[in-house]
Amino acid sequence: MRKSMLAALLLASLLPAAAVAQRPSWPTLERQLSEDRVPRDSALAELIAKNQEFSLLRPEEARDELPVPLWLRVLWRKAHPEGPYSGDDPTGGYPFVLKELHEWMVSHPDLAKDSSGIQALQAAAAVPRATLSAGTNQRISGAAFNPRSESDIRVNYWEPQRIVAASNNIQSSGALAVFYSDDGGASWRQTLLPLVQNAQFHSDPAVDWTSDGTAWAVAIGIDPGERTLRLQAFQSADGGATWTFDQTISGEHRLADKQLIWTDHSNGSPHKDNLYVIWHNGPSVYVNRRVAATSAWEEPRQISGVETRGTGIGSDVKTNNLGHVFAFWPDTGSRNIFFAKSIDGGASWARPSILGRTWGSFDLQIPAQGRRQALIYVTGGAFYRGPRKNMVYAAWTDLSGIQGCRTPLNEPRLDVNHPCQTRIFFSRSTNGGRTWSAPRAINNAGTRNDQFNPWLVVDETSGALAIIYYDTVTEARVRTNVWAQASIDDGATWSAPFRVTTQSSLATGFSSDPNQYGDYNGLSGIAGTFFPSWTDRRAEGREQIWTAPLVLQVRRNRIASAEPSPALACLFRFLAVDEGWSVEEMLQPICEG
C-alpha cells in the first residue's frame, strides 16, 4: 500500500512538468506580421492583432501545416463557433477558401482596394441587427412589507394577455407569492398558494400554462419538523387568482430541491401540453412528467448517473417543436455541465453528455451577492425548424476564465477591486445536442464587474433568443442593474447589452433580505415581446419582484456601396454571420474556387 501511494505521489509530481512540455507554443504578434510582411500601421495589422485568442484553437494547431494562419482561424471560429473543428479531419474543419482570402488580404493590407470598400462592409457587419427596447419598470409584487426574492414568470403562449409569476415569500406567511395579469402586463394582482401536507412554507417558485388556460405552479413544500422537502404541484383555472393543490410529484423523495417546470407548447408536437419538472434529490437529477392524455403525474425518473460526481443542482428542462425534451444541469463534483435528451416525450432518456465545463463550482461569492452567493445555474432552450435548424442552447454564470480566475479559490468574494470577475457563458448545438460549441462569454466587458443570475428564452414563433442577467457594470460592483441581450441568428451573434432597470439595486445592506437576489430570475416571451422577472431592491427598500416588457426590434444590414467582388462578398458573409448561413451555404456558389 505504502509503495503504491509513493508511486502515485511521484506520478502526481511529474504531471505539471509533463503538462508544461505539452503546452502549445503560439507565435508572437510580431512574428505573424513579419512572416506575411504586413505593414505595422495597416488595417490588416489591426485585424490580426484583434484575433489573437489562440485558446479558441486546439493545442495541436500551433504546429500543424494547414495553409491558414492562426489568427484567421480565430477570426473564423469566432464567427462560426458551431463548426466541427476536429483534429481527425485533415482540413481541421476550415473551408479551403480561407487560403485565398488570406492571399487577398496580404496583397491588399489596407483592406480597401476593392471599389466596394471592405471597411464599409465591416462597419455594416458591426451594426447590431437585433435591438431591444423596454416599457415601464413595474413592481408586480405589490406594496408588500416583507421581502420577495427569486422568481419565475411565464406568458400564456396561447393567450399572451395572460401572464403568471411567482416568488419566495419566506419572511411573511411562507406561502409562495403569486402574481398574475390578464391585460398583457399592464396591471398585476397578487395572491398566495395554499400550504398543504404539513408544509410550513414554500420555496423555489416555478410556473407555466397549458393550452386549456390552466396555470400551473410547483413549489417545494417544506416541513421543518420532519425535515422534508417535497415538490407540490398546484393549478389555477381562473388565470392565477385562486389555486388548488394538485399532487405531490417528487414521489418518495425527501430532499427534492431546485425544481423548474416546463410545458410542451408546440401545437405540432405529439406531446403537446405535457408538463415536465426537473430537480435534484441529493446528488441525483430527476424528471417527472404529467402526460396530457392521462392528466396524471408519473413516478420520477432519474436521468443522471455516475457521470455526476457531486450534486446536480441548478437544472433546467425545455422542449422543441418536435416534442423532444432537453435537460441541463451542472455538476459540483466534476465541474462539467451535462445535457440529456428524450425523443419520446420524457418516457426514456439518452445517456448524459458533457456540453461544457465550468471554472467555478456550485456558487460564486461576489461583492453584490456575498451572503447568498451566485449559483451556477444552467438555463436552456431549444428550437427546431427542419433538419438544418435543430438548435439547442445553454447559458450559465461562471468565473471569467482569465489568468487568476479559473478556480473556486479565485472568487472575488467581497473585494470590489479583485481582478477576477464573473461572466455569462453561452454554448449552442446546431444538431439537436450531438455536438456543442465552445462556451463563450456573450458580454465580456474589460472592466471589473460581475454578471450573474441569467435566464434564457427562445421565441417559439421565430427562434429568436433573449437573455437577461444582473450586471454590476457602471456601478460600484455592489450595486446591480438588469441587462438584456437578443440574438436573431441562433446565438451566433448578440445585440449590444441593453439596460432594463431604470434604477440600480443594492442588496448588501444590514436590513436587506439574507437571500439577497435569490438563485435565479425569470424570462418568458412570444412573438417578439418578452417579460422578465427579477428581484429588485431599489432606493434601499425591501426586495420586491419587478418586470418590464421587452420588445425585440430587427434591422437588416444592407450594403449601400457597389456590389463587392466574390472574394470580398465571401469575406463579408463570414464576418457578418449573415442570415444564419451554414458553412456549406456560405461557400456555394459565391465562394467556389
Side-chain angles (χ1 to χ4, degrees), residues 68 177 330 344 425 437 522:
V68 179
D344 55 9
F425 283 83
S437 65

Side-chain angles (χ1 to χ4, degrees), residues 211-223:
S211 65
D212 61 359
T214 301
W216 293 86
V218 176
I220 303 175
I222 302 175
D223 183 344

Side-chain angles (χ1 to χ4, degrees), residues 155-332:
V155 174
N156 184 336
Y157 282 30
W158 298 276
E159 194 177 352
Q161 291 296 102
R162 291 183 175 269
I163 312 171
V164 66
S167 79
N168 286 341
N169 177 35
I170 296 171
Q171 291 186 26
S172 184
S173 68
L176 204 73
V178 177
F179 324 113
Y180 59 101
S181 172
D182 59 8
D183 54 11
S187 62
W188 292 82
R189 285 168 284 180
Q190 302 81 32
T191 188
L192 301 172
L193 291 185
L195 290 167
V196 298
Q197 294 183 325
N198 297 322
Q200 297 299 303
F201 65 98
H202 293 142
S203 186
D204 294 22
V207 294
D208 212 330
W209 300 82
T210 44
S211 65
D212 61 359
T214 301
W216 293 86
V218 176
I220 303 175
I222 302 175
D223 183 344
E226 293 187 6
R227 296 180 177 84
T228 57
L229 309 176
R230 295 187 177 94
L231 298 187
Q232 299 172 336
F234 301 82
Q235 57 178 291
S236 171
D238 53 12
T242 59
W243 293 81
T244 58
F245 173 63
D246 178 58
Q247 188 177 332
T248 295
I249 64 176
S250 50
E252 298 300 317
H253 294 179
R254 298 169 61 86
L255 298 172
D257 186 25
K258 280 287 166 283
Q259 86 291 347
L260 284 172
I261 189 173
W262 182 257
T263 303
D264 186 333
H265 306 108
S266 177
N267 289 324
S269 167
H271 310 292
K272 175 187 171 183
D273 278 332
N274 274 14
L275 289 168
Y276 303 96
V277 176
I278 189 169
W279 70 93
H280 78 96
N281 186 70
S284 304
V285 179
Y286 290 83
V287 171
N288 199 355
R289 65 174 184 167
R290 181 184 185 275
V291 178
T294 62
S295 299
W297 292 93
E298 299 179 342
E299 288 298 311
R301 289 175 170 84
Q302 182 175 337
I303 61 172
S304 68
V306 295
E307 80 293 326
T308 304
R309 302 203 301 264
T311 298
I313 183 174
S315 55
D316 193 15
V317 62
K318 295 290 170 59
T319 56
N320 68 7
N321 314 55
L322 290 176
H324 295 172
V325 194
F326 305 90
F328 315 82
W329 68 93
D331 173 25
T332 62

Side-chain angles (χ1 to χ4, degrees), residues 6-27:
L6 183 61
L9 289 171
L10 179 61
L11 178 60
S13 69
L14 295 176
L15 282 178
V20 170
Q22 296 299 317
R23 186 176 298 165
S25 177
W26 303 110

Side-chain angles (χ1 to χ4, degrees), residues 12 126 132 174 213 221 309 337 359 370 381 410 417 439 481 538 572:
L132 290 165
R309 302 203 301 264
I337 304 242
W359 302 108
N410 300 142
N417 296 312
N481 282 288
R538 60 184 65 194
F572 174 64

Side-chain angles (χ1 to χ4, degrees), residues 374-389:
L375 185 65
I376 299 179
Y377 214 128
V378 184
T379 170
F383 185 78
Y384 178 86
R385 185 171 285 172
R388 302 187 69 178
K389 190 179 283 290

